[in-house]
């Protein structure tokens, strides 16, 4: 089965990072799973570093022609509730 090259570009609400080299996957579904894991891991890393918890990570998947073929969004929002003391 031939492999296709996909590019994962990341936007965290402030910065936009382009995956210039691309990665080879056997299907678009495999590239989407990698994008989902990337969004999750980057969001987790932000929380571990103490960055604001209310954020959204977007990983877009582009094909070999640089056409956007999928987007994965991972969001975290913390709602503080008033104490009832």
């Amino acid at each position: 089965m031939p492999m296709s090259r996909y590019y994962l570009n990341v936007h965290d609400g402030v910065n936009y990072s382009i995956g210039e080299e691309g990665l080879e996957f056997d299907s678009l579904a495999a590239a989407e799973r990698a994008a989902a894991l990337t969004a999750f891991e980057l969001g987790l890393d932000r929380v571990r570093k103490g960055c604001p918890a209310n954020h959204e990570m977007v990983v877009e998947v582009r094909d070999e022609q640089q056409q956007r073929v999928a987007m994965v969004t991972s969001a975290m929002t913390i709602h503080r509730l008033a104490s009832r003391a």
Side-chain angles (χ1 to χ4, degrees), residues 36-85:
L37 285 171
T38 298
F40 170 76
E41 290 168 355
L42 290 172
L44 184 60
D45 188 52
R46 286 183 61 138
V47 171
R48 285 183 175 145
K49 290 180 178 176
C51 295
N54 298 331
H55 68 273
E56 182 175 277
M57 300 297 279
V58 177
V59 180
E60 64 179 21
V61 180
R62 292 187 177 264
D63 64 13
E64 292 174 337
Q65 291 76 39
Q66 292 298 320
Q67 298 297 311
R68 189 174 4 177
V69 293
M71 288 181 65
V72 174
T73 302
S74 173
M76 177 184 295
T77 304
I78 295 176
H79 298 278
R80 289 192 177 153
L81 306 175
S83 70
R84 298 184 178 206

